[in-house]
Amino acid sequence: ARCCNVSTPEAGRQRQSSHPNGRGAASSDARRASREGQHVLEVRGFKDYKLRYKEKGSVKQNSRATLVVSSDHGAQYICRKFKMSEMPCQDMAHINRHFQNLSNLEHPHVCKFIEAFEDRTSIYLIYEKANPQTLFEYIRAKSSLTEEEAADYMRQSAMAMAVAHGQGIV
């Protein structure tokens, strides 16, 4: 069975220095996060999104996920667009804290949250690109899993959820 090698705070600091959205702290929360070696997230405007990324189309039919390519270095990412009016939480301070928590989440079985943008009606979340095939699609194509394979996938999912929950992401 594979092991979840969860990042240490030191690894997070090293990753932060190469993060495309890394910059100095402005608020007391941001200064505290910076002292703790966490990435400080700033939600940017839609104009910045259009300058930083080129949309290449939907990842799958009827999906909210769009493949985008970075204008800076050509890397591929996934953009998830959410209408603010459909979001269960409308409190922007709470939403920004959630984005900060997502920004600092490090786990090998969770796509890394890169940055966020907003316009008057929507929020755009940029994530690292992963294999678009779902576990369900993989199992259907394979026809079955062994008990050991199923247990391994469950362990990976449980570990990722435990780490996310421990960092304030429910």
Side-chain angles (χ1 to χ4, degrees), residues 4-38:
C4 295
N5 296 318
V6 179
S7 296
T8 63
E10 181 58 35
R13 280 190 285 279
Q14 290 171 355
R15 189 170 188 171
Q16 174 189 354
S17 64
S18 63
H19 197 283
N21 194 21
R23 58 179 144 290
S27 69
S28 61
D29 284 345
R31 282 190 292 277
R32 181 176 38 74
S34 180
R35 279 193 309 271
E36 294 171 1
Q38 296 175 337

Side-chain angles (χ1 to χ4, degrees), residues 15-170:
R15 189 170 188 171
Q16 174 189 354
S17 64
S18 63
H19 197 283
N21 194 21
R23 58 179 144 290
S27 69
S28 61
D29 284 345
R31 282 190 292 277
R32 181 176 38 74
S34 180
R35 279 193 309 271
E36 294 171 1
Q38 296 175 337
H39 169 68
V40 177
L41 177 76
E42 175 185 330
V43 178
R44 295 175 173 199
F46 186 71
K47 186 176 180 180
D48 288 331
Y49 168 75
K50 286 300 202 182
L51 290 172
R52 292 178 65 97
Y53 298 98
K54 301 258 185 259
E55 293 184 356
K56 296 297 182 181
S58 192
V59 174
K60 290 185 176 184
Q61 190 174 6
N62 299 324
S63 172
R64 286 188 181 176
T66 302
L67 177 65
V68 295
V69 176
S70 169
S71 301
D72 294 338
H73 47 80
Q76 293 184 343
Y77 296 94
I78 298 299
C79 175
R80 298 215 40 195
K81 178 181 176 181
F82 297 94
K83 291 186 185 273
M84 288 187 205
S85 62
E86 296 174 3
M87 293 174 58
C89 177
Q90 299 293 315
D91 178 10
M92 283 310 290
H94 182 75
I95 291 169
N96 285 328
R97 277 191 307 276
H98 182 70
F99 291 163
Q100 185 66 50
N101 290 342
L102 285 174
S103 174
N104 292 312
L105 178 62
E106 296 274 344
H107 192 277
H109 302 302
V110 176
C111 290
K112 180 70 179 155
F113 175 69
I114 304 298
E115 58 187 334
F117 299 89
E118 65 181 337
D119 63 17
R120 291 182 311 144
T121 61
S122 301
I123 292 182
Y124 303 80
L125 307 180
I126 307 296
Y127 288 88
E128 69 182 355
K129 184 177 181 245
N131 183 342
Q133 183 181 36
T134 66
L135 179 58
F136 179 73
E137 292 167 341
Y138 174 77
I139 294 168
R140 284 188 67 183
K142 195 172 175 185
S143 296
S144 67
L145 292 178
T146 67
E147 187 176 334
E148 184 178 298
E149 289 172 317
D152 192 39
Y153 286 120
M154 288 300 297
R155 182 192 56 75
Q156 290 176 25
S157 298
M159 288 295 297
M161 295 293 284
V163 169
H165 182 72
Q167 293 185 22
I169 300 167
V170 180

